[in-house]
Amino acid sequence: MSHFRDHRLQLHLEKNKNRARLLISCADQPGIVAAVSSYLSEQGANIVESNQYTTDPEGGMFFLRIEFECEHLSSKKEQLENEFTSISNKFEMDWKIAYADELKRMAIFVSKGEHCLLELLWQWQAGDLIADIPLVISNHPDLRETVESLGIPFYHIPVTKETKKEAEQKQIELVKKYNIDVVVLARYMQILSAEFVKEMPYRIINIHHSFLPAFIGARPYERAYERGVKLIGATSHYVTNDLDEGPIIEQDIERVNHKDNAEDLKRIGRTIERNVLARAVSWHLQDRVLVYSNKTVVFE
Amino acid sequence: MSHFRDHRLQLHLEKNKNRARLLISCADQPGIVAAVSSYLSEQGANIVESNQYTTDPEGGMFFLRIEFECEHLSSKKEQLENEFTSISNKFEMDWKIAYADELKRMAIFVSKGEHCLLELLWQWQAGDLIADIPLVISNHPDLRETVESLGIPFYHIPVTKETKKEAEQKQIELVKKYNIDVVVLARYMQILSAEFVKEMPYRIINIHHSFLPAFIGARPYERAYERGVKLIGATSHYVTNDLDEGPIIEQDIERVNHKDNAEDLKRIGRTIERNVLARAVSWHLQDRVLVYSNKTVVFE
Amino acid sequence: MSHFRDHRLQLHLEKNKNRARLLISCADQPGIVAAVSSYLSEQGANIVESNQYTTDPEGGMFFLRIEFECEHLSSKKEQLENEFTSISNKFEMDWKIAYADELKRMAIFVSKGEHCLLELLWQWQAGDLIADIPLVISNHPDLRETVESLGIPFYHIPVTKETKKEAEQKQIELVKKYNIDVVVLARYMQILSAEFVKEMPYRIINIHHSFLPAFIGARPYERAYERGVKLIGATSHYVTNDLDEGPIIEQDIERVNHKDNAEDLKRIGRTIERNVLARAVSWHLQDRVLVYSNKTVVFE
Amino acid sequence: MSHFRDHRLQLHLEKNKNRARLLISCADQPGIVAAVSSYLSEQGANIVESNQYTTDPEGGMFFLRIEFECEHLSSKKEQLENEFTSISNKFEMDWKIAYADELKRMAIFVSKGEHCLLELLWQWQAGDLIADIPLVISNHPDLRETVESLGIPFYHIPVTKETKKEAEQKQIELVKKYNIDVVVLARYMQILSAEFVKEMPYRIINIHHSFLPAFIGARPYERAYERGVKLIGATSHYVTNDLDEGPIIEQDIERVNHKDNAEDLKRIGRTIERNVLARAVSWHLQDRVLVYSNKTVVFE
């Protein structure tokens, strides 16, 4: 299967070697776009895609994502960033430039349920998710073969109440050792500690199996069945210290009816979960998600 | 506009003068369908549509809705019902026969927001909602002209904390006087008392402006905005004494994004609300909704 | 009902008296955004929303829509437009500035089917569609009362094979007399001549009752029923001289099943049609739709 | 991964050893349900699920699917079928009984595109698709490893204009040798001959990458892009001798916009295709699909 990945990845790198994304958040004020676009123009960069959002025309926050092309980009990165400093200082911007040919390094955490993991691996192989996946971590051994058959290292780190702290320590070490940019909890059934979350602010993505804020917490499908809802859903969000309360990246639903029992809801839900998680991860990998006030701006 | 209604209603009554719906709930047990279908066959009735549902093949509840045609139905109603008693007794059924040419009498309660009322009136005029609407009751005078221009009596019954009890008394009197079968709360912003609800068990339909159980209670769009959800929805349910906790009949959602502020959510939500409420009301009017364990079976 | 409209319209005009939309189409080339945003910044304008699209990073077309606020806009319009000429000349732009407080003048054409007309009138009254509606034209008299009851002039212009040319002449005169900006065919069952279409390029919006290009032409619901599709849809598009072939603005679908006969499809379709048409009209009124190569760019 | 399949399959067989599905098509006439349900009742069978549909209350076709449980079913099959003959003769029925523990044998045909194949294999492994998959046939060698790693025989049968007839002969032999009940064309890019289709009437399921009847034939995504549609879709249908004209089993769509080029449409389409095909196959495997007049009745 991997020839797809190699081929499409090659194409992607080729096509994107001169492409970068500039992300900016700051207080809204006149002249931002003029300053930024003039700067890019002076650098010989051509704007390919641009999205902006102002929370409120009067005194709100301003968010900007510009995707640009610039010849000989690889040799110009330092200069680009240095010269942007004067603009960013003037407007007191939070900002970064992400280069499309520098793949993000993604670790996937999983328990026993395979569907979300498989969807990510599959889209990755198909070249639809552009990232490196240096490792998969699981608290169960079951999915080792699946993962290793794709040439991805699999770490089995069991977690019990007693070993939880130690297990997390190992996870954090691996995340650091492998230089991980983003952690995806692909139905990982453990709650991460505040310490772990602090390590990777807005860089841990979870999938919750309900349309949050409905059915926060455990057993959402069972509770959806008991409540008799006519829609079930899934929610992908960044992990914060408040369980299931982090900024929502993506949600979706499917219709169900009285004939569907809790097992049916789980089966139908599996397809929603994997599609929602894959979309959220894809947007994150393309630097399309910005966070403010516990919400996301998604520049699709 | 009303010529549509007259024409389509005429067609409906013509087409349905020999049509009835048999609804049954009982403990599941062998031989129910055989007994019921043999009985119908003996009466010369032809089954046009049939839906059944068993909660659990072992020891569950059984629900059946059969729509049948029977020549000279109008002269046979009493006989049909009498002869069914022996079957219903044997299986200890809850049952009823509803005749498609006996229009249900629907009262609409509304406050100031017009969109749900207008949708119902419009579908009613178009002949898509088959019912009689003998009156509209509102705690505000604003929609009088709209309602009366269609030839429907409009009762303005103001509600304040002090007059609430008295106001409900008037409402109940009107509901009784007009022989109302079903009350639709089309964004009626008052909570009905337990006494009122008891008068019409599972015959009061509400529209709540969120995908319940998310955002139970007040200001759901504002709270949806604050939470940063990517979907907003609406829920139509039967009213019980637990606010927003009654059996759900229908739900739907629309996608929203970071650009939509609370006012946008309300605007988008208005279309969801009216479509969801209209579907729920339509199913109720066609006797397609059965209730058990605070859930609905909807035989669409 | 109209108090909603008056109130929301008032709010709109108040809120938008300093707001305008700049629309640009031209060949993609470096420096466009820099030039435009610097110009706006110099005029003291603040960009509130901005959308751009490039068909192809190499040698494609470039489209831009900027919504901006500018104090004392009403006294600056001429100056704004004059000074933009040097930029527009440099980049050989097609461009316009639309002022949010200058309401577009919309004529609605309708035959006997009322649902699309009613949806537009209703959203207009609710203040959700911001436009003036100086007249409604119909080839049938049926909807006169509905239209006139809202204070909108209704013109009944019958169309037969013999009188078609003459009837269109009258329509064009009315459109000119009333200074119409956009014509909406709300299930108007006549085909406009090439002469009429030429009068209003990309300013006539139609609703076709299928998900085009499926079921082009007559009787789409009947043909959908015969084909046994599991989805039915509607398409709103600009009218060109090729029937049902103009640039698509918006489409949507609903699920149907084997139980739905052609009449059911029509009933379900009515809700799709009116929602799709209303969204398309709303986007047009907000200058969110640009046309190229018989397609639309919709800056939602 | 396969432990899921083994476990869930075991559960399925256990739970369904006494379960069967009775499917009936005939001219509508009074007394059918009474006769059938009485017969089942006499055999000690309990109806678990029942769906029926009449094309037209007057002189139409009648379709029935009954799922029933019957103790000691395995020893009663012959008797059940024999005794049903008198009823089926009386009403001139087309009928069959399918036993839930006799897995259907499914052959998958694929070319190079892997996504539909993978979805089927994955749902099969997860125990969501209950079937045997004795072989996969492809005109390309690329997916051999993927298929064989799951223990499924893979047959590479190249097809050229010259060898097409011979290749099909081999395919038919394999289908017969392996006793195949249903052939699934999971993006198999060859057109089957009339001879092949005749071998398996309404037992060959295809996925077409458009919402038929739009974009019949080749290159649907490219044509969708050129037409500027706002929705793209996929259609699963039974194969007949008229290309892309067979009875539609399931369709679905996703929204797209002007930013999506033909490659994007393909990527988005892959998810629609695999979901639509998997649902269609699942319904076929559960004997929920009946065909008449080139349409399907789907008893979901």
Side-chain angles (χ1 to χ4, degrees):
Chain A
M1 286 159 15
S2 59
H3 58 101
F4 276 96
R5 169 156 209 262
D6 293 346
H7 178 63
R8 291 195 188 139
L9 183 58
Q10 208 52 46
L11 274 179
H12 170 86
L13 293 178
E14 200 93 346
K15 215 177 127 189
N16 286 277
K17 66 172 195 275
N18 286 325
R19 189 168 289 210
R21 303 151 194 160
L22 170 59
L23 290 123
I24 292 170
S25 313
C26 62
D28 192 26
Q29 50 203 297
I32 306 177
V33 177
V36 172
S37 55
S38 299
Y39 153 82
L40 285 171
S41 184
E42 287 156 17
Q43 306 292 330
N46 195 21
I47 298 177
V48 172
E49 184 185 334
S50 173
N51 290 282
Q52 66 179 80
Y53 170 60
T54 310
T55 56
D56 187 335
E58 297 179 29
M61 283 291 293
F62 173 86
F63 303 93
L64 180 64
R65 179 188 186 278
I66 287 182
E67 197 156 326
F68 62 89
E69 298 246 320
C70 187
E71 274 197 43
H72 311 300
L73 181 60
S74 64
S75 62
K76 277 188 180 171
K77 292 177 180 179
E78 205 178 344
Q79 177 200 330
L80 266 179
E81 302 191 18
N82 284 339
E83 300 198 4
F84 192 67
T85 314
S86 64
I87 294 174
S88 70
N89 285 345
K90 180 179 166 196
F91 292 98
E92 296 185 53
M93 292 169 171
D94 269 347
W95 67 283
K96 72 166 180 180
I97 299 181
Y99 301 94
D101 66 347
E102 296 177 5
L103 300 198
K104 284 201 175 46
R105 298 172 66 77
M106 173 164 77
I108 305 176
F109 284 39
V110 68
S111 291
K112 286 182 167 183
E114 68 196 349
H115 56 286
C116 287
L117 172 72
L118 284 179
E119 181 73 30
L120 295 174
L121 293 179
W122 175 21
Q123 294 206 10
W124 171 75
Q125 283 186 110
D128 288 344
L129 277 189
I130 301 291
D132 280 332
I133 305 182
L135 81 163
V136 170
I137 292 175
S138 179
N139 55 334
H140 293 282
D142 309 51
L143 294 165
R144 176 181 297 278
E145 200 186 316
T146 303
V147 171
E148 290 183 345
S149 75
L150 300 171
I152 301 173
F154 178 90
Y155 289 86
H156 173 211
I157 304 180
V159 177
T160 62
K161 221 181 256 181
E162 292 73 34
T163 66
K164 186 173 169 111
K165 193 149 189 179
E166 189 188 346
E168 259 202 359
Q169 209 43 53
K170 274 191 213 161
Q171 294 169 346
I172 292 175
E173 276 164 31
L174 284 167
V175 162
K176 287 185 175 166
K177 177 183 159 194
Y178 280 101
N179 245 322
I180 294 304
D181 295 303
V182 55
V183 168
V184 178
L185 307 183
R187 296 300 309 274
Y188 180 65
M189 309 304 278
Q190 299 287 328
I191 296 168
L192 301 185
S193 73
E195 284 71 41
F196 197 138
V197 172
K198 208 175 55 185
E199 292 284 334
M200 308 199 76
Y202 302 133
R203 295 195 290 137
I204 308 172
I205 297 174
N206 187 39
I207 179 74
H208 183 77
H209 37 319
S210 79
F211 50 87
L212 289 173
F215 308 121
I216 287 187
R219 304 175 54 257
Y221 289 124
E222 283 82 354
R223 287 153 64 206
Y225 174 68
E226 282 154 26
R227 180 64 187 93
V229 293
K230 302 301 185 184
L231 312 171
I232 58 164
T235 303
S236 187
H237 62 93
Y238 287 117
V239 173
T240 60
N241 287 327
D242 298 307
L243 185 64
D244 300 339
E245 296 275 13
I248 293 171
I249 307 169
E250 172 65 338
Q251 303 187 284
D252 212 345
I253 58 96
E254 285 286 335
R255 299 192 76 83
V256 294
N257 65 37
H258 60 266
K259 287 185 291 186
D260 297 308
N261 60 28
E263 283 311 302
D264 294 323
L265 300 192
K266 285 178 193 176
R267 179 177 45 75
I268 296 165
R270 282 196 285 270
T271 296
I272 316 173
E273 289 169 35
R274 53 195 175 104
N275 287 336
V276 165
L277 180 61
R279 285 205 293 273
V281 168
S282 163
W283 292 333
H284 179 93
L285 292 174
Q286 297 175 58
D287 303 293
R288 295 186 176 279
V289 191
L290 289 90
V291 176
Y292 82 103
S293 322
N294 205 44
K295 299 196 218 185
T296 63
V297 174
V298 180
F299 288 134
E300 272 184 73
Chain B
M1 287 159 16
S2 60
H3 58 100
F4 276 96
R5 171 157 206 262
D6 293 346
H7 179 63
R8 290 195 189 139
L9 183 59
Q10 207 53 47
L11 273 179
H12 169 86
L13 294 178
E14 199 95 346
K15 216 178 125 189
N16 286 276
K17 65 173 197 276
N18 287 324
R19 189 169 288 211
R21 305 150 192 160
L22 169 61
L23 290 122
I24 294 170
S25 314
C26 61
D28 191 26
Q29 50 203 297
I32 307 177
V33 176
V36 172
S37 55
S38 298
Y39 153 81
L40 286 171
S41 183
E42 286 156 18
Q43 306 292 328
N46 195 21
I47 298 176
V48 172
E49 184 185 334
S50 172
N51 290 282
Q52 67 179 80
Y53 170 59
T54 310
T55 57
D56 188 334
E58 297 179 29
M61 283 292 292
F62 173 86
F63 302 93
L64 180 65
R65 178 188 186 276
I66 287 181
E67 197 156 325
F68 62 88
E69 297 246 319
C70 186
E71 275 196 43
H72 311 299
L73 181 60
S74 64
S75 61
K76 277 188 181 171
K77 292 177 181 179
E78 204 177 344
Q79 178 200 331
L80 266 179
E81 302 190 19
N82 283 339
E83 299 198 4
F84 191 66
T85 314
S86 63
I87 293 174
S88 70
N89 285 344
K90 180 180 165 193
F91 292 99
E92 296 185 52
M93 294 169 170
D94 269 348
W95 68 282
K96 72 167 178 179
I97 299 180
Y99 301 94
D101 65 348
E102 297 178 5
L103 302 197
K104 285 198 175 46
R105 297 172 66 78
M106 173 164 80
I108 305 177
F109 283 40
V110 68
S111 291
K112 285 181 170 184
E114 68 196 349
H115 55 286
C116 286
L117 172 72
L118 284 179
E119 182 73 29
L120 295 175
L121 292 179
W122 176 19
Q123 294 205 9
W124 171 76
Q125 283 185 110
D128 288 343
L129 277 189
I130 301 291
D132 279 332
I133 306 182
L135 81 164
V136 169
I137 292 175
S138 179
N139 54 335
H140 293 282
D142 308 52
L143 294 165
R144 176 181 297 278
E145 200 187 317
T146 303
V147 171
E148 290 183 346
S149 75
L150 299 171
I152 301 173
F154 177 90
Y155 289 86
H156 173 212
I157 305 180
V159 178
T160 62
K161 220 180 260 181
E162 292 72 36
T163 64
K164 185 169 170 114
K165 194 149 186 181
E166 190 187 347
E168 259 201 0
Q169 209 44 51
K170 276 191 212 162
Q171 293 168 347
I172 292 176
E173 275 166 30
L174 284 167
V175 162
K176 286 185 175 167
K177 175 182 161 196
Y178 280 101
N179 244 321
I180 294 304
D181 296 301
V182 55
V183 167
V184 178
L185 307 182
R187 297 300 308 274
Y188 180 65
M189 307 306 277
Q190 299 287 327
I191 296 167
L192 302 185
S193 72
E195 284 70 42
F196 196 137
V197 173
K198 208 175 55 183
E199 292 283 334
M200 307 198 77
Y202 303 132
R203 295 194 291 138
I204 307 172
I205 298 175
N206 187 39
I207 179 74
H208 183 78
H209 37 320
S210 79
F211 51 87
L212 289 174
F215 308 121
I216 287 186
R219 303 175 53 257
Y221 289 124
E222 284 83 353
R223 288 152 64 205
Y225 174 69
E226 282 153 27
R227 181 63 187 94
V229 293
K230 302 300 185 185
L231 310 171
I232 59 163
T235 304
S236 187
H237 62 92
Y238 288 116
V239 174
T240 60
N241 287 327
D242 299 306
L243 186 64
D244 299 339
E245 297 275 13
I248 293 171
I249 306 170
E250 172 64 338
Q251 304 186 285
D252 211 346
I253 57 99
E254 284 286 333
R255 301 192 76 84
V256 295
N257 66 37
H258 59 266
K259 288 185 292 188
D260 297 308
N261 61 28
E263 282 311 303
D264 294 322
L265 300 192
K266 285 178 193 176
R267 179 177 44 77
I268 297 165
R270 283 197 284 270
T271 297
I272 317 172
E273 289 168 37
R274 52 195 174 105
N275 288 334
V276 165
L277 179 61
R279 285 205 293 273
V281 169
S282 164
W283 292 333
H284 179 92
L285 293 175
Q286 296 174 59
D287 303 292
R288 294 187 177 278
V289 191
L290 290 90
V291 176
Y292 82 104
S293 320
N294 205 43
K295 299 196 218 185
T296 62
V297 173
V298 180
F299 288 133
E300 273 183 70
Chain C
M1 284 158 18
S2 59
H3 59 101
F4 276 96
R5 171 158 206 262
D6 294 345
H7 178 64
R8 291 197 188 138
L9 183 57
Q10 208 52 46
L11 274 180
H12 170 86
L13 294 177
E14 198 96 346
K15 214 176 126 189
N16 286 277
K17 66 172 195 277
N18 287 324
R19 189 169 288 211
R21 304 152 192 158
L22 171 59
L23 288 122
I24 293 170
S25 313
C26 62
D28 193 26
Q29 50 205 296
I32 306 177
V33 177
V36 172
S37 54
S38 299
Y39 153 81
L40 285 172
S41 182
E42 287 155 17
Q43 306 293 328
N46 194 22
I47 298 176
V48 172
E49 185 183 334
S50 173
N51 290 282
Q52 67 179 80
Y53 170 59
T54 311
T55 58
D56 188 334
E58 298 178 29
M61 284 291 292
F62 172 87
F63 303 94
L64 179 65
R65 178 187 186 278
I66 286 181
E67 197 156 326
F68 62 88
E69 297 247 319
C70 187
E71 275 196 42
H72 311 299
L73 182 60
S74 64
S75 61
K76 279 186 180 173
K77 292 177 181 181
E78 205 177 344
Q79 177 200 329
L80 265 179
E81 301 190 20
N82 284 340
E83 300 198 4
F84 191 67
T85 314
S86 65
I87 293 174
S88 70
N89 285 344
K90 181 180 166 198
F91 292 99
E92 297 185 53
M93 291 169 172
D94 269 348
W95 68 282
K96 72 166 178 180
I97 299 181
Y99 302 94
D101 65 348
E102 296 177 5
L103 300 198
K104 285 198 174 48
R105 297 172 67 76
M106 172 165 79
I108 305 176
F109 283 39
V110 69
S111 290
K112 286 183 167 182
E114 67 195 348
H115 55 287
C116 287
L117 172 72
L118 284 180
E119 181 72 29
L120 295 174
L121 293 180
W122 174 22
Q123 293 206 10
W124 171 75
Q125 283 187 110
D128 288 343
L129 277 188
I130 301 291
D132 279 333
I133 305 182
L135 80 164
V136 169
I137 292 175
S138 180
N139 54 336
H140 293 282
D142 308 51
L143 293 166
R144 177 181 295 280
E145 200 188 316
T146 302
V147 171
E148 291 184 344
S149 74
L150 300 172
I152 301 172
F154 177 90
Y155 290 85
H156 174 212
I157 304 180
V159 178
T160 63
K161 222 181 255 181
E162 294 73 34
T163 66
K164 184 170 171 116
K165 194 152 187 176
E166 187 189 348
E168 259 201 358
Q169 209 43 54
K170 275 191 211 159
Q171 292 168 349
I172 293 175
E173 277 164 30
L174 284 169
V175 162
K176 288 184 174 165
K177 175 183 159 194
Y178 280 100
N179 245 320
I180 294 305
D181 296 301
V182 55
V183 167
V184 178
L185 308 182
R187 299 296 309 273
Y188 180 65
M189 309 305 278
Q190 299 288 326
I191 295 168
L192 302 184
S193 73
E195 286 70 42
F196 196 137
V197 173
K198 208 175 54 185
E199 292 283 337
M200 308 199 76
Y202 303 132
R203 295 194 290 138
I204 307 172
I205 298 174
N206 186 38
I207 180 75
H208 183 77
H209 37 320
S210 79
F211 51 88
L212 289 174
F215 308 121
I216 287 186
R219 302 175 55 258
Y221 290 124
E222 283 81 355
R223 288 152 65 208
Y225 173 69
E226 281 153 27
R227 181 63 187 91
V229 294
K230 303 300 186 185
L231 310 171
I232 59 164
T235 303
S236 186
H237 62 90
Y238 287 116
V239 173
T240 61
N241 287 327
D242 299 306
L243 186 63
D244 302 337
E245 297 275 13
I248 293 171
I249 308 170
E250 172 64 339
Q251 303 186 285
D252 211 346
I253 57 98
E254 285 284 336
R255 301 192 77 82
V256 296
N257 67 37
H258 59 266
K259 288 183 291 186
D260 297 309
N261 61 28
E263 282 309 303
D264 294 322
L265 300 191
K266 285 178 193 175
R267 179 177 44 77
I268 296 165
R270 283 196 285 270
T271 296
I272 316 174
E273 289 170 35
R274 51 193 174 108
N275 288 334
V276 165
L277 179 61
R279 284 203 293 272
V281 168
S282 164
W283 292 334
H284 179 93
L285 292 175
Q286 297 173 58
D287 302 291
R288 296 186 175 280
V289 191
L290 290 90
V291 175
Y292 81 104
S293 320
N294 207 42
K295 299 196 220 187
T296 62
V297 173
V298 180
F299 288 134
E300 271 184 72
Chain D
M1 287 161 13
S2 59
H3 57 101
F4 276 96
R5 170 160 206 263
D6 294 345
H7 178 63
R8 290 194 189 140
L9 183 58
Q10 208 53 47
L11 273 180
H12 170 86
L13 294 177
E14 199 95 345
K15 214 177 127 187
N16 286 276
K17 65 173 198 275
N18 286 324
R19 189 170 288 211
R21 302 149 193 161
L22 170 61
L23 289 122
I24 293 170
S25 313
C26 62
D28 191 26
Q29 51 205 297
I32 306 177
V33 177
V36 173
S37 55
S38 298
Y39 153 80
L40 285 172
S41 183
E42 285 155 19
Q43 305 293 328
N46 194 23
I47 298 176
V48 172
E49 184 184 334
S50 173
N51 290 282
Q52 67 180 77
Y53 170 60
T54 310
T55 58
D56 188 335
E58 297 179 29
M61 283 291 293
F62 173 86
F63 303 94
L64 179 65
R65 180 189 186 275
I66 286 182
E67 197 156 326
F68 62 88
E69 298 246 318
C70 187
E71 275 196 42
H72 312 298
L73 181 61
S74 64
S75 61
K76 279 187 180 171
K77 292 175 180 180
E78 204 176 344
Q79 177 200 331
L80 266 179
E81 302 190 17
N82 283 340
E83 300 197 4
F84 191 67
T85 314
S86 65
I87 293 172
S88 69
N89 285 345
K90 179 180 166 195
F91 292 98
E92 296 185 52
M93 291 169 172
D94 269 348
W95 67 282
K96 73 166 177 181
I97 298 180
Y99 301 94
D101 66 348
E102 296 178 5
L103 301 197
K104 284 198 174 47
R105 298 172 65 78
M106 172 165 81
I108 305 175
F109 284 40
V110 68
S111 290
K112 286 182 168 182
E114 69 196 347
H115 55 287
C116 286
L117 172 71
L118 284 179
E119 181 73 28
L120 295 175
L121 293 179
W122 175 20
Q123 293 205 9
W124 172 75
Q125 282 186 111
D128 287 344
L129 278 189
I130 300 292
D132 279 332
I133 305 181
L135 80 164
V136 169
I137 292 175
S138 180
N139 55 336
H140 294 282
D142 308 52
L143 293 166
R144 177 182 296 280
E145 201 187 316
T146 302
V147 171
E148 290 184 345
S149 74
L150 299 172
I152 301 173
F154 178 90
Y155 289 85
H156 174 212
I157 305 179
V159 178
T160 63
K161 221 181 255 181
E162 293 72 33
T163 65
K164 183 169 170 116
K165 193 151 187 177
E166 189 188 346
E168 258 201 0
Q169 210 43 54
K170 274 192 213 160
Q171 292 169 350
I172 292 175
E173 276 164 30
L174 283 168
V175 162
K176 287 185 174 166
K177 176 184 159 195
Y178 280 100
N179 244 321
I180 294 303
D181 296 302
V182 55
V183 168
V184 178
L185 307 182
R187 298 298 309 273
Y188 180 66
M189 308 305 278
Q190 301 287 327
I191 295 168
L192 301 185
S193 73
E195 286 69 41
F196 197 137
V197 173
K198 209 176 55 184
E199 291 283 336
M200 307 199 77
Y202 303 132
R203 294 194 290 139
I204 307 173
I205 298 173
N206 186 39
I207 179 75
H208 183 77
H209 37 320
S210 80
F211 51 88
L212 289 173
F215 308 121
I216 286 187
R219 303 174 55 258
Y221 290 124
E222 283 82 355
R223 288 152 65 206
Y225 174 70
E226 281 153 27
R227 181 63 188 91
V229 292
K230 303 299 185 187
L231 309 172
I232 58 164
T235 304
S236 186
H237 62 92
Y238 287 116
V239 174
T240 61
N241 287 327
D242 299 307
L243 187 62
D244 302 337
E245 297 275 13
I248 294 171
I249 308 170
E250 172 63 338
Q251 304 186 286
D252 211 346
I253 57 98
E254 284 285 335
R255 301 192 76 83
V256 295
N257 66 38
H258 59 267
K259 290 184 290 188
D260 298 307
N261 61 27
E263 282 310 303
D264 294 322
L265 299 192
K266 284 178 193 176
R267 178 177 45 75
I268 296 165
R270 283 197 283 271
T271 296
I272 316 174
E273 289 169 35
R274 51 193 174 106
N275 287 334
V276 165
L277 180 60
R279 284 204 293 273
V281 168
S282 163
W283 291 333
H284 179 93
L285 293 175
Q286 297 173 58
D287 303 292
R288 295 187 176 279
V289 191
L290 290 90
V291 176
Y292 82 104
S293 322
N294 206 43
K295 299 195 218 186
T296 62
V297 174
V298 180
F299 288 133
E300 274 184 70

